[in-house]
Amino acid sequence: QKEEALKVQEEEEEAQKKIKVKDTNEADVEETEETEEISGEEEDETNVEEDTDAEMVEAEEVPEVTQDAEETEETEETEEIELTPETTQMAAALTPARPFTSDGKYRNKQRCLLLCSRGVTARYRHLLEDLRTFIPHNKRDSKLDPGEQGIGAAVNEIAQVKSCNSFLFVECRKRQDCYFTLGHTPRGPSARFLVNNVHTMDELRLTGNCMRGSRPVLNFDESFESVPHLRLLKELFIDVFGTPRGHPKSKPFVDRIMGFYYADKKIWVRNYQIIDQQAQNAKDAHAIKKQQEGANSAPDSIKGLETNLVEIGPRFVMTPIRIFAGSFGGQTLYLNDDYVSPNTVRAAHKSNKGNAYESRKFAQASRKDRGERIVVPEDPLDDVFR
């Protein structure tokens, strides 16, 4: 037992010695950390003093730089003031224009939504089909029944689903009045037209013909450059009727012209085929070749060979009613004061027919009154020779 008690005492003394060694080691580590922190703070103070000295030196040099910058800004302002619109126009005229080179890729992702409302007659439905054949970048949809949300909201929603950025909506009122609404979606602008004198291709049966899906040459009257609202309509017509280059459904040919002409405050639309007259035989072909080379031996009948236009159809006349800043609404950009609705015209015509009976009765009463007022005086010599 004594030996065991001694062993226990020795173990306790060894444990106390180990604890004392650990404490001394921890104290040494703390002293080293404190010395390192003190040395780091001293280095930071030295660095701060060096930075302040450098900033003082730079501050002494800054005023000269700022003065130079102010002088350069003043010179630039004077140069900008000296530039006038005339000088800029002269500079633009003197700089050579870079020729446009196309890479032939399909970049103008223009899609046009073509649809009509319910109640459209056969004539206007055939007109819409003719327009679809001439607009290969169109997206079609069934007849629109807007319901409670309205025509504008329904067309914009369909255009969003079909990924279209322009639209052409055909609406028929009272099964006799046709209206076109075309423009950009969803923010506009848009324009509304009354369509008259509609003649489809099946009705006209003209001799002109062109390739299906070919790109047209859009020809505009000179009024589309001078009249403000026509300039806006020109951009809308280009987006709706102009086929983008490289469209998958289009053909790489230009064999027709679509003309827009402004007369009598209406827009007359025509579609023509481009025909290049060719020689009928080898003799005429040889004469044309010699003419192209500069020879004057070609006969007069051959010299007259030119490019002609043959109408294809359809043809129609559009009367502008109103131009909106938005799609199917918004601020009014243009209002046609000379526009008279078809209902007013029909009411006036019917009123003239109703007045025919009144005018006839008035003529009868006036004739009777005039007969009563005309009295022949009696002649005193009327009974002399009887």
Side-chain angles (χ1 to χ4, degrees):
Q1 294 179 355
K2 291 180 180 180
E3 290 176 356
E4 290 177 358
L6 291 172
K7 288 180 180 179
V8 170
Q9 289 179 358
E10 289 176 357
E11 288 176 359
E12 289 177 357
E13 289 176 357
E14 289 177 356
Q16 290 177 357
K17 289 180 181 179
K18 290 180 181 179
I19 292 169
K20 288 180 181 179
V21 170
K22 288 182 180 179
D23 294 335
T24 54
N25 293 330
E26 289 176 356
D28 294 334
V29 170
E30 289 177 356
E31 287 177 357
T32 54
E33 287 178 355
E34 289 177 357
T35 54
E36 288 177 357
E37 289 178 358
I38 292 167
S39 61
E41 289 177 356
E42 290 177 354
E43 289 177 357
D44 293 335
E45 289 177 356
T46 55
N47 292 328
V48 168
E49 290 176 356
E50 291 176 356
D51 294 334
T52 53
D53 294 335
E55 289 177 357
M56 292 291 291
V57 174
E58 290 177 357
E60 292 176 356
E61 297 177 355
V62 163
E64 296 180 357
V65 177
T66 55
Q67 289 178 0
D68 296 335
E70 290 176 357
E71 291 177 358
T72 55
E73 289 177 357
E74 289 177 358
T75 55
E76 289 177 357
E77 289 177 358
T78 54
E79 290 177 357
E80 290 178 358
I81 291 169
E82 291 176 358
L83 292 175
T84 59
E86 296 178 355
T87 57
T88 54
Q89 290 178 1
M90 291 175 64
L94 292 175
T95 55
R98 296 181 180 178
F100 175 75
T101 56
S102 177
D103 55 359
K105 295 182 180 180
Y106 176 45
R107 298 187 180 278
N108 183 13
K109 304 300 178 67
Q110 181 78 22
R111 298 181 183 88
C112 182
L113 177 65
L114 294 181
L115 74 164
C116 62
S117 64
R118 290 201 175 275
V120 174
T121 59
R123 178 185 295 273
Y124 304 131
R125 188 173 64 252
H126 291 169
L127 174 63
L128 183 62
E129 291 297 327
D130 293 343
L131 293 177
R132 282 172 176 166
T133 57
F134 287 117
I135 303 176
H137 61 285
N138 76 87
K139 293 288 185 179
R140 63 172 62 215
D141 197 76
S142 59
K143 293 181 180 179
L144 180 63
D145 191 4
E148 297 180 356
Q149 61 180 349
I151 296 175
V155 172
N156 291 332
E157 184 178 357
I158 296 171
Q160 184 179 2
V161 172
K162 300 281 187 179
S163 300
C164 299
N165 51 6
S166 61
F167 64 90
L168 174 60
F169 179 67
V170 181
E171 184 181 5
C172 189
R173 298 284 184 87
K174 297 185 177 180
R175 299 186 64 82
Q176 52 186 344
D177 301 330
C178 181
Y179 295 92
F180 276 4
T181 305
L182 56 90
H184 294 163
T185 179
R187 297 184 178 180
S190 61
R192 186 173 176 82
F193 303 89
L194 173 66
V195 183
N196 294 322
N197 300 332
V198 176
H199 300 282
T200 61
M201 289 193 292
D202 293 338
E203 179 185 359
L204 294 174
R205 294 187 178 276
L206 297 171
T207 58
N209 194 5
C210 67
M211 182 173 290
R212 187 185 182 92
S214 61
R215 300 178 64 216
V217 176
L218 300 181
N219 182 25
F220 293 93
D221 191 4
E222 59 182 3
S223 301
F224 284 88
E225 296 294 336
S226 58
V227 183
H229 72 276
L230 292 181
R231 294 175 64 184
L232 177 58
L233 293 179
K234 177 182 176 180
E235 299 298 328
L236 295 179
F237 291 154
I238 290 173
D239 292 338
V240 173
F241 296 103
T243 304
R245 188 182 189 281
H247 192 273
K249 293 184 180 180
S250 66
K251 303 297 188 300
F253 303 102
V254 179
D255 59 351
R256 65 185 180 92
I257 293 178
M258 196 167 188
F260 299 88
Y261 310 102
Y262 185 70
D264 195 18
K265 297 184 179 180
K266 295 179 176 61
I267 300 174
W268 306 70
V269 183
R270 297 291 183 269
N271 197 12
Y272 298 97
Q273 178 192 4
I274 303 174
I275 296 179
D276 296 328
Q277 292 186 358
Q278 299 179 358
Q280 300 295 329
N281 48 35
K283 182 178 179 181
D284 296 342
H286 180 67
I288 293 171
K289 184 177 180 181
K290 291 178 68 177
Q291 180 188 7
Q292 293 176 354
E293 293 175 355
N296 296 323
S297 60
D300 296 336
S301 60
I302 302 301
K303 289 181 181 180
L305 290 177
E306 294 179 355
T307 301
N308 295 328
L309 300 178
V310 179
E311 188 173 358
I312 304 173
R315 58 168 69 169
F316 53 91
V317 181
M318 298 189 298
T319 304
I321 301 175
R322 192 185 293 259
I323 300 176
F324 301 101
S327 178
F328 285 93
Q331 184 180 1
T332 301
L333 302 179
Y334 169 75
L335 178 63
N336 188 4
D337 296 330
D338 298 327
Y339 168 72
V340 180
S341 65
N343 292 329
T344 305
V345 175
R346 284 192 293 269
H349 184 64
K350 289 181 179 179
S351 64
N352 292 333
K353 282 186 176 181
N355 294 332
Y357 176 77
E358 295 180 359
S359 60
R360 186 172 68 252
K361 288 299 181 181
F362 179 75
Q364 292 176 359
S366 60
R367 185 168 59 251
K368 183 177 179 181
D369 185 26
R370 187 171 59 255
E372 292 177 355
R373 285 188 287 103
I374 297 175
V375 178
V376 179
E378 295 181 359
D379 188 3
L381 301 177
D382 191 19
D383 298 336
V384 173
F385 299 103
R386 290 185 179 180

